Amino acid sequence: MITSTPPLAHRLRWTFADGLTLVGRELGRLRQEPGELIGALVFPAIMVVLFGYVFGSAIQVPDGGDYREYLMPGLFAMVTFSAVMGVMTRVATDASRGVMDRFRSMPMARLAVPFGQTGADLLTGLLMLAIMVGAGLLVGWQPHRGLIPTAQAFLLMIVLRYALSWVGVYVGLAVKNDQVADTMVPLFLPFTMLSNAFVPTGGMPGWLRFLADWNPVSALTAVSRELFGNPGAPSGNVAWPLAHPVAAVLLWSAALLVIFVPLSLRAYMRRGR
Amino acid sequence: MADPIVVAEGLHKSFGDTHALRGLDLSVPRGTVCGVLGPNGAGKTTAVRILATLSDPDAGHARIAGYDVVREAGKVRARIGLAGQSAAVDEKLTGRGNLRMFGRLSHLSRREAHRRADELLDRFGLMDAADRQVAGYSGGMRRRLDLITCLILRPEVLFLDEPTTGLDPRSRGEIWDSVRELVADGTTVLLTTQYLDEADQLADDIAVIDHGQVVATGTPDELKATIGDRLDVVVEDPAALRPAATVLNALTGTDPTMTGADRLSVALPGGGLRLADIVRELDRAEVAAADVRLRRPTLDEVFLRLTDRKESVR
Ligand SMILES: Nc1ncnc2c1ncn2[C@@H]1O[C@H](COP(=O)(O)OP(=O)(O)OP(=O)(O)O)[C@@H](O)[C@H]1O
Ligand SMILES: [Mg+2]
């Protein structure tokens, strides 16, 4: 018996087409539950109000800028990091409800599933970012350095978001249980707070400051502050990721992709369990 | 007709120290319904997952329509449908949205996927709920949607893992009707179940599995015949149960089971015992019997006997 493997071009085409179908699935879900998008934004929105107006009056921005201008890049970073939790929850739900098994038992392109899930997250990520930009403009934030740096900042957010969504795929496949995934969601909070997103890291105790400086949230926040021309540019003796935030974000993205894409694909393709 | 479309030979599968399958053999003729019956943990789901290419066996092999489930998994997947133990549909989408998505993922054209979705919704009575979110479906509707999702590509073999667990009798009847309709279309069905009446109702052949092995196969009638007839005795005074049990034990060589406050049931050894002898012996022991009756065993009794669990003494 001859078992012909379909040519590569054919497989790639179907991987792409099936991936797109899964991105379309996300649109279908959003149409049914538009509130989900809002739900994901409730937290950053509360942060805008809470930090922007309540604590903001008492927090001193290093070079004397407006605190809400200082805060928004941190919230953009926070929204970017929600990719991990969002994708993790969706993948774990699919795995525990048997939807993942249905995909596996269908004659569809296998790689389309993780690529479709991360692609779908990109779609929701862009929508969430757009809403956050709207919220930022409302509270008086704005980019000051022109089109190109602004576009660069958003591009870097998207690149890092995509890399982070693969972390979500891997963790979701590893926990395989939507309830466990749900209990992990709150971990997101301390992770994003332990950074320069809300307050400068300069005042933190040494070991905490070290963690905060090397947190990718901090690098992404620093990138936005620099490229949007928002206050809070670090000065003096700062850690490497904050002194070179663009390089740091690109390196973080590359490292996450190099580690988590193969891990996720292996976890997804692995059979016999 | 005798050409088997599902063949499993000597399947072994372990998870750590748990030997889920220990040399499972199975053969399902095309166009028939095979009921795989077994208690919790017998290995039913493990077997189905291997046959549906979701899991590789440690040893042994299996073929679907002549294709090996490990080496030719792609060809197998194009010919099977799997409804797993939970309804594997996207709760956030509508019923129609689910069918369209799975249609597209089965590489139907957009138009064809839409057409097929409507056709299936209509045929299996879900058209009214088509545009509602699945999260709001009843358990029975969800299961039915799950079932028809497997039918998008008209599979040759359908695997149903406990398709009616947790459903009320009416929903269960509806799923049974759907399965019968599919079989009438020529689909081969392999279904696992813990409900013996389900196997009795749907299956042409039954494979009873326990501890990862097939312990008996046959039609429901053949299986019932293997353990011989049963004798039920109802006594007038519950105090007479003990002497009645002694008599029955002496006659049959087995301990009777109490099936109620005033009744006993016992398996008869093959041949030799006549109803008249039993009645006379009971008389001699001064047991006033309200009813003495010979009957075929139920599939439950066959199952309990074959899977070596203690018969329930309530
Ligand atoms: N992924 C797994 N990891 C570890 N053990 C497993 C796994 N899957 C199954 N088992 C074990 O293998 C045995 C057979 O399980 P299986 O799910 O096939 O039984 P089943 O007949 O489908 O039972 P049920 O009626 O409860 O669905 C059980 O002892 C189970 O605990
Ligand atoms: Mg099972």
Side-chain angles (χ1 to χ4, degrees):
Chain A
M1 188 179 337
I2 302 159
T3 51
S4 64
T5 339
L8 185 65
H10 183 263
R11 288 221 307 268
L12 278 179
R13 191 171 84 80
W14 277 122
T15 304
F16 188 70
D18 290 344
L20 273 187
T21 303
L22 291 173
V23 175
R25 169 194 187 193
E26 198 56 39
L27 280 177
R29 294 170 139 220
L30 282 177
R31 191 171 318 138
Q32 288 300 313
E33 287 190 354
E36 194 152 287
L37 200 59
I38 308 298
L41 283 168
V42 164
F43 198 74
I46 291 175
M47 289 306 200
V48 172
V49 176
L50 200 63
F51 276 82
Y53 291 94
V54 181
F55 300 143
S57 52
I59 298 177
Q60 202 59 48
V61 177
D63 39 7
D66 173 44
Y67 182 68
R68 287 191 291 282
E69 285 255 292
Y70 175 85
L71 175 69
M72 283 315 293
L75 292 181
F76 289 141
M78 193 171 189
V79 167
T80 302
F81 271 75
S82 68
V84 179
M85 301 301 161
V87 173
M88 173 189 76
T89 312
R90 273 173 289 185
V91 168
T93 307
D94 275 357
S96 62
R97 300 285 158 80
V99 175
M100 205 69 94
D101 278 344
R102 165 151 284 148
F103 288 149
R104 286 191 177 105
S105 75
M106 287 173 59
M108 63 181 283
R110 297 213 131 193
L111 292 182
V113 175
F115 279 102
Q117 298 266 20
T118 52
D121 174 73
L122 221 43
L123 187 80
T124 47
L126 283 174
L127 283 171
M128 283 165 66
L129 209 51
I131 297 175
M132 280 309 284
V133 166
L137 293 172
L138 272 180
V139 300
W141 163 86
Q142 63 184 70
H144 301 283
R145 289 188 48 197
L147 198 62
I148 304 286
T150 306
Q152 280 173 338
F154 285 121
L155 194 66
L156 284 168
M157 285 180 212
I158 289 163
V159 168
L160 186 57
R161 180 177 187 105
Y162 189 69
L164 287 164
S165 67
W166 280 94
V167 180
V169 173
Y170 180 69
V171 180
L173 286 171
V175 301
K176 276 196 254 152
N177 179 324
D178 49 339
Q179 274 147 14
V180 177
D182 281 344
T183 62
M184 288 173 70
V185 169
L187 294 179
F188 165 69
L189 189 57
F191 188 78
T192 48
M193 301 279 271
L194 182 52
S195 71
N196 63 357
F198 301 100
V199 291
T201 58
M204 300 179 186
W207 61 276
L208 211 57
R209 174 175 183 182
F210 175 80
L211 290 180
D213 282 344
W214 284 85
N215 187 341
V217 177
S218 297
L220 190 63
T221 306
V223 159
S224 315
R225 286 190 183 134
E226 184 179 316
L227 292 172
F228 291 145
N230 293 146
S235 54
N237 184 16
V238 290
W240 184 86
L242 300 187
H244 309 87
V246 175
V249 167
L250 289 174
L251 278 176
W252 267 115
S253 308
L256 291 175
L257 287 172
V258 164
I259 296 170
F260 285 97
V261 172
L263 275 181
S264 308
L265 294 184
R266 211 187 58 161
Y268 179 74
M269 305 280 269
R270 182 167 50 205
R271 310 198 305 166
R273 303 166 51 101
Chain B
M1 276 307 279
D3 148 44
I5 187 166
V6 178
V7 181
E9 281 162 359
L11 293 182
H12 280 265
K13 180 80 186 176
S14 304
F15 301 99
D17 288 342
T18 315
H19 299 287
L21 297 182
R22 335 172 173 232
L24 184 97
D25 300 311
L26 213 55
S27 164
V28 184
R30 195 179 281 273
T32 64
V33 180
C34 172
V36 173
L37 210 58
N40 286 126
K44 304 183 293 293
T45 300
T46 307
V48 166
R49 287 177 61 83
I50 289 174
L51 293 173
T53 78
L54 292 178
S55 156
D56 290 343
D58 296 339
H61 50 90
R63 271 169 284 122
I64 308 287
Y67 297 110
D68 188 275
V69 295
V70 177
R71 283 179 291 109
E72 297 162 300
K75 292 224 168 66
V76 171
R77 287 184 197 126
R79 287 166 174 80
I80 61 168
L82 167 68
Q85 222 166 325
S86 62
V89 285
D90 187 338
E91 308 235 311
K92 299 261 167 82
L93 294 179
T94 61
R96 186 181 262 130
N98 266 291
L99 287 172
R100 286 179 174 180
M101 172 180 75
F102 285 113
R104 291 292 280 157
L105 292 175
S106 310
H107 300 172
L108 298 181
S109 69
R110 180 179 300 274
R111 173 186 303 175
E112 183 62 15
H114 287 202
R115 202 189 56 72
R116 187 77 179 131
D118 285 356
E119 189 182 350
L120 288 167
L121 287 165
D122 192 42
R123 179 166 168 203
F124 292 92
L126 282 174
M127 200 44 121
D128 290 340
D131 293 316
R132 284 191 3 229
Q133 209 184 19
V134 173
Y137 279 25
S138 72
M141 288 160 72
R142 229 175 262 219
R143 275 275 151 165
R144 225 169 333 140
L145 180 66
D146 186 52
L147 181 66
I148 64 181
T149 305
C150 306
L151 307 180
I152 292 171
L153 282 186
R154 301 184 177 80
E156 291 175 47
V157 183
L158 192 57
F159 296 104
L160 306 176
D161 195 5
E162 303 195 14
T164 64
T165 299
L167 297 189
D168 64 28
R170 191 164 141 257
S171 309
R172 182 182 296 177
E174 285 169 358
I175 296 275
W176 288 355
D177 288 342
S178 305
V179 172
R180 287 196 190 97
E181 240 184 275
L182 293 173
V183 177
D185 287 354
T187 311
T188 307
V189 176
L190 186 149
L191 101 156
T192 77
T193 181
Q194 297 182 39
Y195 297 120
L196 301 124
D197 56 334
E198 184 158 290
D200 222 351
Q201 285 276 336
L202 292 176
D204 299 301
D205 285 296
I206 291 178
V208 182
I209 71 173
D210 195 21
H211 301 303
Q213 277 176 324
V214 174
V215 293
T217 52
T219 63
D221 281 337
E222 283 166 358
L223 286 179
K224 289 173 192 170
T226 55
I227 71 161
D229 286 344
R230 305 279 307 190
L231 178 76
D232 289 340
V233 175
V234 182
V235 293
E236 277 172 356
D237 176 6
L241 271 184
R242 186 166 291 276
T246 314
V247 171
L248 293 179
N249 189 355
L251 283 171
T252 64
T254 36
D255 269 332
T257 318
M258 240 177 89
T259 50
D262 60 350
R263 54 198 62 204
L264 292 169
S265 174
V266 68
L268 291 185
L273 268 181
R274 289 181 311 136
L275 200 53
D277 300 332
I278 296 162
V279 173
R280 197 177 56 242
E281 289 299 317
L282 284 171
D283 261 351
R284 284 211 348 220
E286 297 182 338
V287 172
D291 193 12
V292 178
R293 189 180 299 175
L294 271 175
R295 64 169 170 82
R296 302 289 307 276
T298 64
L299 213 42
D300 275 290
E301 287 155 341
V302 177
F303 180 69
L304 290 167
R305 174 70 72 86
L306 289 171
T307 56
D308 196 29
R309 302 291 191 271
K310 270 196 96 61
E311 293 189 34
S312 60
V313 191
R314 305 229 320 150

